[in-house]
């Protein structure tokens, strides 16, 4: 254990100082991050967490209950020390030191108050951080995590999932997460790249080292090599790939494949393709100085107005505003 990291995580935050005295929840997120229009729970949007980054790490504030909330990104909770009780989609879940719970987008959860030595770490990441090469490796292992991540990547869940990973004996997971935390809280050159590289290592190590328990009301599996091929072709060849080229590769009728994709993923081929193109466009906009017009061509959009319309629909603003907020 890193003594410097341990000292930092146990140190009281400003919010914790208040909650320690009042035992009442203090809101510590910007107002534009929170939607309270739903009386049942708080909805957290992506605005605050993923500005120019794909992974967001924080320590959960202690000494007060955290209200029921939901969000449209993946969340990994790691019990650094102590224990906590969460209520996830109506089910009570207890985490002890070293345990991990992975929550799907759309899951709703609340937390009981944490004590002095109860250090809970939140690691948030977006779907585009899950690459299909990783899914392919997990598919080969026939793991429950493959099904969880495949569903997260390809379809809208009607019944959200979460996976609880219980620690048993020694595991590399603790070392990996501690390394991610050190890189995040004591940022150095290339820290962001190191953290992003550790994400697939962490997920694969969870499958290998931990006993996992999947909580899935529908018990539905999606071990589908055809859909995996379609998605991999889209991810790798988004600028030029077409439904016809994928159908030819699979020796499928184009119209049959189109219907199959819609049935399996809940989205059309064009919707999946546009999603990948927009993700790549957003990455280029935030990480390069290429002209927007060049980026549009590079990711495979032939109609500039169509691109702007789809980009605003997905991100809530125009590409120029994305670049200004870098």
């Amino acid at each position: 254990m890193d003594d410097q990291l341990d000292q930092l995580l146990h140190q009281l935050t400003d919010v914790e100082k208040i909650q320690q005295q009042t035992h009442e929840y203090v809101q510590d997120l910007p107002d534009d991050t929170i939607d309270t229009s739903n009386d049942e729970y708080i909805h957290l949007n992506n605005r605050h967490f993923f500005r120019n980054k794909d992974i967001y790490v924080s320590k959960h504030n202690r000494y007060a209950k955290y209200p029921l909330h939901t969000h449209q990104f993946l969340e990994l909770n790691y019990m650094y020390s102590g224990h906590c009780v969460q209520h996830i989609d109506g089910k009570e879940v207890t985490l002890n030191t070293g345990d991990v719970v992975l929550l799907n987008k759309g899951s709703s959860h609340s937390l009981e108050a944490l004590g002095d030595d109860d250090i809970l770490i939140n690691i948030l990441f977006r779907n585009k951080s899950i690459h299909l090469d990783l899914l392919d490796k997990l598919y080969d292992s026939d793991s429950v995590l493959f099904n969880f991540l495949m569903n997260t990547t390809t379809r809208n869940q009607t019944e959200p999932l979460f996976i609880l990973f219980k620690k048993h004996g020694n595991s590399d997971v603790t070392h990996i997460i501690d390394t991610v935390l050190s890189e995040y809280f004591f940022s150095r050159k290339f820290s962001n790249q190191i953290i992003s590289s550790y994400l697939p290592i962490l997920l694969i190590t969870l499958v290998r080292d931990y006993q996992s328990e999947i909580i899935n009301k529908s018990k539905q599996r999606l071990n589908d090599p055809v859909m995996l091929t379609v998605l991999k072709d889209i991810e790798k060849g988004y600028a030029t790939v077409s439904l016809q080229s994928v159908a030819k590769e699979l020796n499928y009728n184009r119209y049959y494949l189109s219907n199959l994709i819609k049935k399996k993923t809940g989205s059309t081929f064009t919707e999946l393709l546009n999603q990948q193109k927009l993700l790549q466009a957003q990455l280029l906009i935030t990480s390069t100085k290429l002209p927007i017009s060049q980026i549009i061509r590079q990711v495979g959009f032939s109609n500039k107005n169509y691109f702007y319309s789809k980009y605003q629909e997905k991100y809530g603003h125009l590409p120029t505003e994305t670049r200004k907020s870098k």
Side-chain angles (χ1 to χ4, degrees), residues 24-239:
E24 293 183 359
Y25 164 69
V26 175
Q27 176 55 258
D28 63 336
L29 296 173
D31 290 339
D32 65 353
T33 305
I34 303 166
D35 176 9
T36 57
S37 59
N38 190 311
D39 293 334
E40 294 183 21
Y41 52 76
I42 297 171
H43 176 78
L44 304 180
N45 60 49
N46 293 3
R47 252 182 233 114
H48 170 69
F49 304 106
F50 302 117
R51 285 176 178 155
N52 305 320
K53 64 176 71 174
D54 293 329
I55 299 173
Y56 177 91
V57 181
S58 67
K59 183 188 78 169
H60 185 83
N61 287 314
R62 294 167 286 179
Y63 307 116
K65 291 183 178 181
Y66 199 93
L68 188 67
H69 61 286
T70 186
H71 40 70
Q72 290 302 309
F73 46 79
L74 293 164
E75 178 176 354
L76 185 149
N77 288 173
Y78 167 65
M79 205 69 220
Y80 176 87
S81 67
H83 76 283
C84 78
V85 175
Q86 298 196 35
H87 301 275
I88 309 174
D89 294 326
K91 184 177 179 65
E92 183 174 299
V93 176
T94 300
L95 298 183
N96 295 303
T97 301
D99 290 349
V100 172
V101 64
L102 183 61
L103 298 98
N104 198 353
K105 59 179 185 176
S107 289
S108 59
H109 66 129
S110 61
L111 293 91
E112 298 296 323
L114 302 179
D116 290 333
D117 196 44
D118 302 330
I119 305 298
L120 179 68
I121 301 298
N122 305 314
I123 301 177
L124 317 179
F125 51 97
R126 293 191 281 192
N127 289 10
K128 71 176 185 176
S129 304
I130 304 298
H131 298 295
L132 289 168
D133 285 340
L134 168 62
L135 289 178
D136 204 13
K137 291 181 177 67
L138 295 176
Y139 172 72
D140 290 340
S141 71
D142 192 31
S143 76
V144 294
L145 186 55
F146 166 83
N147 299 288
F148 177 90
L149 294 174
M150 190 69 166
N151 283 336
T152 297
T153 304
T154 62
R155 62 169 53 181
N156 294 319
Q157 291 291 344
T158 55
E159 298 193 57
L161 304 173
F162 68 89
I163 307 180
L164 174 62
F165 294 93
K166 301 295 290 184
K167 183 180 180 183
H168 291 273
N170 294 325
S171 170
D172 291 331
V173 169
T174 299
H175 171 71
I176 292 169
I177 296 181
D178 285 354
T179 300
V180 169
L181 297 179
S182 293
E183 292 290 343
Y184 194 91
F185 290 118
F186 307 109
S187 182
R188 292 168 286 173
K189 190 175 182 180
F190 303 123
S191 282
N192 288 336
Q193 291 87 340
I194 290 172
I195 292 168
S196 296
S197 297
Y198 264 110
L199 178 59
I201 297 172
L202 172 60
L203 294 174
I204 292 172
T205 305
L206 280 170
V207 172
R208 185 188 66 182
D209 289 4
Y210 275 32
Q211 176 183 350
S212 62
E213 174 190 352
I214 188 166
I215 310 300
N216 181 354
K217 296 176 184 176
S218 65
K219 304 288 186 183
Q220 196 170 31
R221 294 176 64 83
L222 186 58
N223 288 352
D224 194 324
V226 172
M227 288 303 104
L228 193 57
T229 296
V230 170
L231 293 168
K232 288 177 75 172
D233 283 356
I234 288 174
E235 183 179 64
K236 293 180 179 179
Y238 56 87

Side-chain angles (χ1 to χ4, degrees), residues 284-319:
L284 291 172
I285 289 166
T286 57
S287 62
T288 75
K289 295 182 179 180
L290 291 173
I292 304 297
S293 58
Q294 183 178 336
I295 291 173
I296 293 173
R297 293 192 302 271
Q298 189 167 320
V299 300
F301 281 102
S302 57
N303 186 305
K304 180 179 177 181
N305 291 333
Y306 180 71
F307 166 78
Y308 276 107
S309 172
K310 289 298 178 183
Y311 191 96
Q312 186 160 25
E313 181 182 308
K314 181 172 179 63
Y315 295 109
H317 54 259
L318 294 173

